[in-house]
Amino acid sequence: MMLEVRDLVTAYGQSLVIQGISLDVTTGEVVCLLGRNGAGKTTTLRSIMGLTPPRAGRVIFKGKEITGRQPFEIARLGVGYAPDDRRIFPDLTVEENLEIVRRVTGREGRWTVERVYQLFPLLPGLRGNRGIGLSGGEQKMLAIGRALMGNPTLLILDEPSEGLSPLMVHTLVEAIRQIRQEGVTLLLADQNLKFARRVADRGYIIEKGTIRYSGRLDDLWADQEIVRKYLAV
Amino acid sequence: MDTIAFQGLIGLSLAMYLWLISAGLTIIFGVLRIVNFAHGSLFMMGAYLAFTFYGQLGLPFWLAILLSLLGVGLLGLVMERFFLRRIYSIDEAYQLLLTFGFILILDDAVKIIWGGVFKIPPIPAFLDGAWRAFGRPFPVYNAFVIAVGLLVAVLLWALFEKSWWGRIVRATASDREMANAIGVNVPRVFSGVFMFGSMLAALGGAMGTPVRVASPGIGAAMIIQAFIITVIGGLGNLKGAFVSSLMVGILSAYGTLFFPVFELFFIFVIMVVVLLVRPQGLFAR
Ligand SMILES: Nc1ncnc2c1ncn2[C@@H]1O[C@H](COP(=O)(O)OP(=O)(O)O)[C@@H](O)[C@H]1O
Ligand SMILES: [Mg+2]
């Protein structure tokens, strides 16, 4: 098992945002968290990454408990994370944004700057540009590339397709398939079931901080009632 | 004409002194987002340690400066690791209280160790004397301060723009949470930056002693100047601190020429004028 989350409870101040979520990600799988805006997807991912430490529950990565560990330790164990708001380092160049991860994690492997450039062909032309000048879509690609630079065994992507043009979504789908072929396990959060279905096998629907559905995305797609109840706007 | 040129040189040496005392304060604020009011006290410790190593123990000048930097760097490390680290996440008023507490503690420590009277170590022979510049004697020591100031500027530029440590520090300064998430040991970066900034304060102190006496309380005077320089330059902006030092140093030198009575007044006048026009400072980040 790549990742096990057990009875996770996370709060911002007084408000319990995650109210006992359990989920599993098997090695080699692509799993997607679905749910409307504000359902608790981002918070779940942040709790796994150690950015918003949970109040209760356990996060187990490759059989090892990582609950309450510092994010940098979790990153160094092999969890890559690309946040929904991208958070590219504004005054580093594209290439520095990638290279810095290799330096700080010390995790050498298949993913190099050149491999990331192959995956996202719009990046090499921008390699000397500072992060602050990139478009939203370019930042999104760079954020995923940056997360790969630590050669993660588990890659966490929050809202990867949000705000992308159809052409960029296509690049992203191809990239995710290639990343998976390289043996990386993925956990995504996305609101777009159509997109999720193209890349993920299984999904969990979150609403108000609890899991309402779990199963194969193809089955979910066929179940219009659940889709309407938890996903449609 | 010569008077104008000579005064420019005086201004430049004042500017480099201001730069040395404000660079560390700026770096620490830029990364840790705390105003270290004890920065002046670290400067004072640098001055006293240099006095002891050079003036009392008779070690070579460069070695004395180096040892002062190491000593104060260690002190800074202890301050950050065991005290400041505990208050980053709580109200900013505590930063003021804690760093102010360090001012009081270090002032008393200096009185206990070195006594209440001021100390002046001798100027090293190779820096003593004066050169003629524009028909007037210009102290060699001032030229030395200018050289060290410019050297520090170049080294800091190279460190932050060209080294990986510098890039990691810049990434942490701009987004500490994301830096943490990609694998940066942020607490360790904070310790390293605080230690480094402390050593810069000590460099200013150690270099300043032969011309400006070391006495308890110089830290408080110095922190006011350093703080004003960083506010004019834009808090946390190193380039801003450099430009602001140049501006204040040179304008003060000319100001003093025409209105000698207002010597200490100019830095405040410049601050007020700059902040009226640009409240965020010259180079806001
Ligand atoms: N930093 C925060 N402080 C307080 N409440 C927050 C914070 N971030 C998110 N929330 C709240 O937590 C809930 C879940 O948010 P989030 O995890 O971002 O959902 P999703 O990613 O599914 O859109 C929402 O009600 C949101 O308003
Ligand atoms: Mg979200």
Side-chain angles (χ1 to χ4, degrees):
Chain A
M1 193 65 75
M2 180 63 66
L3 182 73
E4 297 161 69
V5 175
R6 291 285 164 269
D7 308 313
L8 194 75
V9 176
T10 306
Y12 293 110
Q14 295 297 318
S15 71
L16 282 181
V17 171
I18 302 301
Q19 310 180 10
I21 278 186
S22 297
L23 56 91
D24 292 316
V25 183
T26 316
T27 306
E29 249 191 329
V30 180
V31 172
C32 188
L33 306 183
L34 295 152
R36 291 200 183 92
N37 213 355
K41 305 180 294 295
T42 296
T43 307
T44 304
L45 298 183
R46 287 179 56 88
S47 290
I48 293 169
M49 199 60 212
L51 292 164
T52 306
R55 293 276 165 94
R58 301 183 342 132
V59 181
I60 297 155
F61 173 60
K62 292 202 289 187
K64 192 172 173 178
E65 172 134 18
I66 57 167
T67 328
R69 293 262 204 120
Q70 284 263 354
F72 76 87
E73 297 176 289
I74 295 172
R76 289 177 185 186
L77 286 172
V79 183
Y81 170 70
D84 51 352
D85 49 356
R86 311 174 303 262
R87 310 277 282 270
I88 296 304
F89 299 115
D91 59 349
L92 299 188
T93 65
V94 166
E95 192 139 320
E96 289 168 344
N97 264 284
L98 295 172
E99 181 66 15
I100 191 173
V101 180
R102 191 177 68 78
R103 302 253 167 189
V104 299
T105 55
R107 292 176 61 90
E108 308 276 343
R110 290 175 182 225
W111 294 104
T112 59
V113 171
E114 292 312 319
R115 281 293 330 264
V116 169
Y117 285 163
Q118 281 169 18
L119 205 60
F120 300 114
L122 56 82
L123 292 182
L126 303 165
R127 62 170 72 195
N129 292 23
R130 296 206 177 228
I132 197 166
L134 304 180
S135 73
E138 290 161 354
Q139 291 196 359
K140 210 104 202 178
M141 304 291 134
L142 181 55
I144 298 173
R146 180 178 64 182
L148 281 171
M149 286 298 292
N151 283 285
T153 44
L154 174 66
L155 180 61
I156 296 177
L157 306 179
D158 196 356
E159 302 278 1
S161 78
E162 185 194 28
L164 294 186
S165 68
L167 188 68
M168 277 184 148
V169 171
H170 181 76
T171 312
L172 178 66
V173 169
E174 282 309 310
I176 290 177
R177 287 183 181 154
Q178 278 192 48
I179 292 166
R180 178 184 200 171
Q181 268 168 21
E182 295 286 353
V184 180
T185 304
L186 284 110
L187 174 60
L188 326 174
D190 216 289
Q191 295 187 43
N192 185 339
L193 178 59
K194 257 198 204 139
F195 164 77
R197 225 162 68 91
R198 290 168 72 186
V199 293
D201 315 301
R202 266 192 328 115
Y204 293 89
I205 294 181
I206 300 182
E207 199 199 46
K208 294 195 182 132
T210 52
I211 293 199
R212 295 300 166 96
Y213 173 92
S214 115
R216 300 193 53 80
L217 291 187
D218 291 333
D219 299 339
L220 173 60
W221 184 253
D223 193 336
Q224 280 305 310
E225 195 181 328
I226 295 185
V227 171
R228 216 172 307 120
K229 192 161 170 204
Y230 297 119
L231 298 178
V233 270
Chain B
M1 198 54 227
D2 277 0
T3 309
I4 302 284
F6 184 81
Q7 208 61 18
L9 216 51
I10 295 285
L12 190 60
S13 66
L14 177 59
M16 287 304 116
Y17 168 76
L18 293 171
W19 159 242
L20 284 176
I21 64 175
S22 58
L25 187 69
T26 301
I27 292 170
I28 289 173
F29 182 82
V31 181
L32 282 70
R33 298 273 133 190
I34 60 159
V35 177
N36 176 24
F37 286 100
H39 195 70
S41 306
L42 295 169
F43 165 94
M44 174 184 73
M45 293 305 293
Y48 271 101
L49 286 179
F51 166 76
T52 296
F53 291 133
Y54 181 69
Q56 289 184 307
L57 300 179
L59 296 179
F61 183 64
W62 295 110
L63 183 63
I65 289 197
L66 185 70
L67 289 176
S68 316
L69 295 202
L70 292 178
V72 175
L74 203 65
L75 177 62
L77 188 66
V78 170
M79 274 172 67
E80 197 281 334
R81 180 73 187 71
F82 296 102
F83 299 92
L84 288 170
R85 178 171 292 189
R86 296 163 188 278
I87 58 158
Y88 292 141
S89 52
I90 57 177
D91 194 278
E92 282 153 9
Y94 290 94
Q95 297 171 6
L96 180 67
L97 287 175
L98 182 59
T99 55
F100 188 70
F102 272 108
I103 296 180
L104 303 178
I105 292 169
L106 290 174
D107 271 352
D108 276 353
V110 159
K111 280 182 206 148
I112 293 166
I113 301 171
W114 284 281
V117 291
F118 55 78
K119 308 285 185 193
I120 313 175
I123 291 185
F126 72 101
L127 293 174
D128 210 354
W131 287 332
R132 284 197 81 72
F134 306 106
R136 270 159 243 246
F138 184 70
V140 176
Y141 202 86
N142 287 34
F144 172 64
V145 170
I146 294 176
V148 172
L150 292 176
L151 185 70
V152 165
V154 171
L155 290 179
L156 287 181
W157 174 81
L159 179 70
F160 285 108
E161 294 297 322
K162 300 291 167 201
S163 81
W164 276 101
W165 189 75
R167 292 184 184 107
I168 292 166
V169 168
R170 277 194 288 141
T172 309
S174 64
D175 191 341
R176 61 176 71 164
E177 186 182 79
M178 196 60 222
N180 202 334
I182 63 159
V184 174
N185 186 338
V186 174
R188 184 180 299 170
V189 168
F190 278 17
S191 293
V193 166
F194 196 87
M195 186 172 168
F196 185 70
S198 305
M199 290 168 80
L200 280 171
L203 179 66
M207 299 257 323
T209 5
V211 278
R212 292 156 198 270
V213 298
S215 63
I218 51 169
M222 173 276 196
I223 187 64
I224 293 172
Q225 290 180 317
F227 187 63
I228 292 176
I229 293 290
T230 58
V231 166
I232 293 175
L235 273 175
N237 189 303
L238 208 50
K239 196 203 294 173
F242 187 75
V243 172
S244 145
S245 301
L246 277 180
M247 193 172 96
V248 171
I250 290 171
L251 287 180
S252 301
Y254 286 124
T256 321
L257 192 62
F258 298 115
F259 310 96
V261 270
F262 292 127
E263 183 178 359
L264 292 172
F265 194 60
F266 284 106
I267 187 165
F268 293 101
V269 174
I270 296 169
M271 175 176 76
V272 168
V273 171
V274 168
L275 293 188
L276 280 176
V277 182
R278 272 183 76 81
Q280 71 276 42
L282 296 173
F283 294 78
R285 9 179 325 124

